[in-house]
Amino acid sequence: MGLRRMYYYIKNTLEKTKKLDFKGKSGQFVAVLTSAEWLENRDKFDMGIEMDIDLSAIHSTKAEVNYDSLTGTFSIPNRENISALNINFAFALDEKGIVFIDDSGYVDDTISNIINSKRWTIPSLERFIYDFLEQIVSRDRIILERVDKELDTVESNILDGEEKDPSQRVSRIRSDLRDLRTHYEQLIDLGEELEENENNFFNEDNIRYFRLFTQRVSRLRDMTASLRDFSIQIRDLYQSQLDIKQNRIMALLTIITSIFMPLTLIAGWYGMNFRYMPELEYKWAYPAVIAVSILIVIVSLIFFKKKKWL
């Protein structure tokens, strides 16, 4: 990947610059580097860390407090296809600014969205981080509402008997919701770590931004957990509908068996052909047996109807 080193100063918006004052005397900055560029330039940032970045080895979103810096990683589910590979990048920050190490281009796109949509009355590193984190979850409520509607549709189709087998569909949704819930829990841990402000990098008056973000993600996590419970209920609903259908079939077979049992008895009785069976000599014996058989069927059907078994 070619060079795409990007530097910004945090003013009323992010102002692009070709060079940075790495000591932070010109204001707080945002830098976006590839992993190769970070290895070449990390000493310039004077953050006192030896962070060799292997973006392919990132598996979670987290933050770690160092002596004179705060470092961490992001592992973000692709909102277009949550089951696909996560988008991974790393960061390092101190009171002078924040550096993103990203080979995917995700950070560049996110910063472009911030530049196009945000103007700050009181610019600060804390406000930038808040807006960056907000961009990560900005579409999530819409996504979760879409999942809710999809589950509602599946439930309605099951109750109407139109849904064939939603198992794979619901299983995919439940898997995506599990991944999102894990992602939200990691974001909450990250927000709480930032709010802790152990190294005093942040202005105490601006710590509220991280608290606001944590509260928002907590609501998303709760919504995700609720939807996952809903998906489990739908699976149980479908299974219960299958059980009801099977019970109806078994009930019908039982009724048919009950109707034909006396008829089978009559047929077996008269099929013995004993020599001295008086009914065999009667002129009306055969029509009488037919009439009795029909009567048994009619009486059985009336009985089952009254019992609401039919």
Side-chain angles (χ1 to χ4, degrees):
M1 182 177 292
L3 292 179
R4 60 169 181 78
R5 186 185 311 155
M6 303 294 289
Y7 298 141
Y8 305 87
Y9 280 115
I10 301 174
K11 304 298 181 182
N12 293 110
T13 184
L14 290 178
E15 295 183 357
K16 189 180 293 186
T17 180
K18 292 183 178 180
K19 294 183 179 180
L20 277 183
D21 172 12
F22 292 102
K23 298 299 183 181
K25 295 180 180 179
S26 300
Q28 293 175 310
F29 63 81
V30 176
V32 185
L33 286 74
T34 64
S35 52
E37 291 168 346
W38 166 253
L39 291 176
E40 294 176 5
N41 296 276
R42 62 186 177 187
D43 293 337
K44 298 179 182 178
F45 291 93
D46 192 28
M47 289 185 176
I49 55 174
E50 294 291 332
M51 192 164 65
D52 295 327
I53 301 298
D54 181 4
L55 298 181
S56 63
I58 294 174
H59 301 293
S60 63
T61 298
K62 62 181 181 179
E64 297 179 357
V65 177
N66 305 300
Y67 176 72
D68 53 1
S69 64
L70 192 150
T71 60
T73 57
F74 282 90
S75 185
I76 301 174
N78 186 333
R79 298 313 197 262
E80 303 301 325
N81 183 7
I82 295 174
S83 59
L85 293 176
N86 285 5
I87 301 165
N88 298 327
F89 57 94
F91 72 92
L93 67 83
D94 59 14
E95 72 280 0
K96 300 187 295 295
I98 184 169
V99 184
F100 292 103
I101 302 97
D102 176 31
D103 291 339
S104 69
Y106 180 88
V107 174
D108 290 325
D109 293 338
T110 304
I111 287 178
S112 294
N113 290 337
I114 293 174
I115 292 173
N116 293 331
S117 61
K118 301 295 181 180
R119 294 292 183 274
W120 301 309
T121 304
I122 305 177
S124 65
L125 177 62
E126 298 86 351
R127 181 55 195 263
F128 164 76
I129 294 173
Y130 169 79
D131 285 331
F132 184 87
L133 295 173
E134 283 282 293
Q135 286 290 319
I136 294 175
V137 299
S138 60
R139 296 171 47 238
D140 286 15
R141 180 167 289 277
I142 296 173
I143 293 172
L144 293 177
E145 288 174 353
R146 192 183 304 141
V147 170
D148 190 18
K149 290 180 180 178
E150 185 176 359
L151 291 175
D152 277 336
T153 301
V154 173
E155 182 184 40
S156 298
N157 290 342
I158 291 174
L159 293 174
D160 294 340
E162 299 174 0
E163 192 76 28
K164 292 184 178 180
D165 186 357
S167 300
Q168 290 186 348
R169 186 179 179 189
V170 173
S171 178
R172 173 187 56 81
I173 292 174
R174 190 165 60 251
S175 176
D176 289 347
L177 291 172
R178 182 188 63 242
D179 291 343
L180 280 177
R181 185 184 64 182
T182 300
H183 174 56
Y184 293 145
E185 289 172 349
Q186 292 173 359
L187 284 176
I188 291 171
D189 290 341
L190 174 67
E192 290 175 346
E193 192 67 61
L194 295 173
E195 187 179 348
E196 185 70 23
N197 195 21
E198 186 174 332
N199 288 349
N200 293 316
F201 292 152
F202 306 124
N203 187 319
E204 287 296 331
D205 293 335
N206 294 333
I207 294 297
R208 58 190 175 88
Y209 290 127
F210 305 135
R211 189 177 307 114
L212 288 172
F213 173 75
T214 302
Q215 290 171 353
R216 176 177 179 181
V217 178
S218 295
R219 291 191 294 271
L220 290 172
R221 180 196 58 188
D222 293 343
M223 187 175 179
T224 302
S226 177
L227 287 174
R228 195 162 187 271
D229 291 341
F230 187 19
S231 70
I232 295 174
Q233 291 172 7
I234 288 177
R235 181 194 61 188
D236 295 341
L237 173 64
Y238 179 70
Q239 186 60 49
S240 67
Q241 292 296 105
L242 282 181
D243 293 340
I244 290 172
K245 289 180 181 179
Q246 291 175 351
N247 289 338
R248 286 175 179 171
I249 293 172
M250 293 302 298
L252 181 60
L253 292 175
T254 302
I255 289 170
I256 293 173
T257 302
S258 300
I259 291 173
F260 280 91
M261 277 181 62
L263 303 182
T264 303
L265 175 63
I266 292 173
W269 190 284
Y270 284 95
M272 290 186 292
N273 291 325
F274 287 121
R275 181 176 179 183
Y276 298 107
M277 291 178 69
E279 295 86 352
L280 296 177
E281 303 296 332
Y282 291 162
K283 179 180 180 180
W284 300 101
Y286 184 63
V289 170
I290 294 175
V292 169
S293 298
I294 293 173
L295 181 63
I296 289 173
V297 172
I298 293 173
V299 171
S300 298
L301 291 174
I302 292 173
F303 175 78
F304 291 131
K305 277 284 187 181
K306 284 187 175 181
K307 291 291 186 179
K308 296 183 179 180
W309 294 348
L310 279 176

